Amino acid sequence: MRVLNSNENLKNWKFRKTETSEIDEVLMKWFRSARAKKILVIGVCSKKKPEKSVKRYDDRDIFNADETGLFYRVLPDKTLYEKCSGGKISKERLTLLLCYNLLGDFETPVVIGKTKKPKCFKNIDERKLSVLWKSNKKAWMTTEIMSD
């Protein structure tokens, strides 16, 4: 595949070769052949059957987990009408771990913050929250938190 470059004038479109051009071309060829056979490409990975090595497990015992960072005090860099600028970007974050099994049942989400008991939890019992609260110095996922 090639990346298009332009100097604001549509007549000056140029093709530029990228590092992954060969892989992109093979992938595009596969995509076009799949679409020609009327195979739905979006969501194919999540709908494919488990491999033979996984067959010995029940569907409820096969999990997918992903972690993501939530920068909850960061202001948007643009709005629908204008571009925003100025001010320092906040680096305060939480890490979220979301996990579900092959049947689509969600496990209790894990939220990782920097403090063991934040001020906002002053009169709240953490065990009654709908999430599992964990903490470490940088609000990152660690092996200790993952093994709990």
Side-chain angles (χ1 to χ4, degrees):
M1 178 155 317
R2 304 194 185 266
V3 176
L4 295 173
N5 283 337
S6 174
N7 297 334
E8 296 183 17
N9 188 350
L10 295 177
K11 294 179 183 177
N12 293 334
W13 287 99
K14 296 179 182 177
F15 288 100
R16 174 172 55 104
K17 197 165 181 133
T18 63
E19 292 178 13
T20 60
S21 293
E22 293 176 32
I23 296 170
D24 292 338
E25 288 174 15
V26 171
L27 184 61
M28 186 56 82
K29 185 186 277 187
W30 171 83
F31 176 78
R32 287 183 179 140
S33 69
R35 293 302 295 149
K37 295 175 186 174
K38 301 203 187 280
I39 297 173
L40 181 64
V41 176
I42 298 173
V44 168
C45 295
S46 63
K47 293 181 180 178
K48 76 179 177 183
K49 301 281 184 194
E51 296 176 17
K52 290 180 183 177
S53 62
V54 181
K55 285 251 186 204
R56 59 187 166 167
Y57 298 105
D58 288 339
D59 287 349
R60 68 172 183 263
D61 295 330
I62 301 171
F63 290 91
N64 181 32
D66 197 11
E67 65 179 281
T68 184
L70 174 64
F71 294 90
Y72 59 94
R73 290 197 177 176
V74 174
L75 296 173
D77 58 351
K78 62 182 176 180
T79 65
L80 291 175
Y81 298 106
E82 63 184 329
K83 191 172 183 179
C84 304
S85 63
K88 190 174 179 179
I89 296 174
S90 175
K91 294 183 181 179
E92 291 187 54
R93 70 177 280 150
L94 295 173
T95 299
L96 306 173
L97 175 69
L98 303 171
C99 182
Y100 62 94
N101 64 13
L102 199 60
L103 298 175
D105 300 329
F106 284 90
E107 296 294 314
T108 305
V110 178
V111 180
I112 306 166
K114 289 186 177 181
T115 58
K116 285 191 177 184
K117 184 137 176 133
K119 292 178 184 177
C120 61
F121 288 179
K122 186 177 182 180
N123 297 322
I124 297 175
D125 185 11
E126 293 175 30
R127 294 171 291 184
K128 293 184 179 179
L129 292 174
S130 60
V131 297
L132 185 60
W133 178 265
K134 297 289 185 177
S135 64
N136 70 24
K137 187 177 178 182
K138 294 188 177 185
W140 289 353
M141 176 60 71
T142 60
T143 53
E144 293 85 24
I145 292 173
M146 190 66 182
S147 61
D148 287 347

